[in-house]
Structure formats: C-alpha cells, structure tokens
Amino acid sequence: MIGSTSRYAANAIEIVTDEDGESRRVIVPAAPEEIRARIIKYRWSDQDRVDSVAYQYYQDPTQWWRFADVNPEILDWTDVKPGTIVRIPYAD
C-alpha cells in the first residue's frame, strides 16, 4: 500500500496481467526527469544489497532511493548483476 506521504503517491497505478493470467496492480513509474548530481561510480558485487550500500554511503539503509533515482535503467534492485556500475550521488 502506498501512503499519502510516499514518494510514489502521485504515480499512476494500473492492473497488468502476466503470462499465467494472474492480474496485479503495479505502480507506473513517472518519466525520468533530468537529475544533476555529483556522483561516484560504484561496482556492484554479489554480496551487495541496496540497504547495505545505502548505509555505507549515507549511514541510513532507507536512503537507497537516492541512488535508484540516478540509475533509472535498473528496474529491479533485488537483482543487480555483479559488476554493474552504479552511480552513487554524494551525500552533501
């Protein structure tokens, strides 16, 4: 469930049907906006998780969305392939 304070509250929700005929509701991502950020490049390893990388750079595991925003080509953060270069914005 998306609450009114969620960063996804303004996104559209649609019903999709998969190849097995199962229907589910999904969030339709908004079109990416241009983001300007000072970044470092990080090579993802097979031990990495979004929460641990967020903690490493921001000392807060819930801040993983900060690097998700500047890497819109990665759609599933639970399945980032080892060796993928991920842009991490500076904490400023």
Side-chain angles (χ1 to χ4, degrees), residues 39-57:
I39 61 156
I40 56 174
K41 292 182 179 178
Y42 178 80
R43 184 177 304 277
W44 204 262
S45 77
D46 58 350
Q47 290 86 25
D48 284 331
R49 296 186 329 262
V50 292
D51 60 332
S52 61
V53 173
Y55 187 81
Q56 178 180 344
Y57 286 95

Side-chain angles (χ1 to χ4, degrees), residues 16-61:
V16 297
T17 303
D18 66 20
E19 58 204 29
D20 296 325
E22 297 290 323
S23 295
R24 61 188 166 99
R25 294 170 35 159
V26 297
I27 299 170
V28 178
E33 296 177 14
E34 181 177 332
I35 297 174
R36 293 183 182 258
R38 292 181 331 151
I39 61 156
I40 56 174
K41 292 182 179 178
Y42 178 80
R43 184 177 304 277
W44 204 262
S45 77
D46 58 350
Q47 290 86 25
D48 284 331
R49 296 186 329 262
V50 292
D51 60 332
S52 61
V53 173
Y55 187 81
Q56 178 180 344
Y57 286 95
Y58 306 119
Q59 288 69 55
D60 182 345

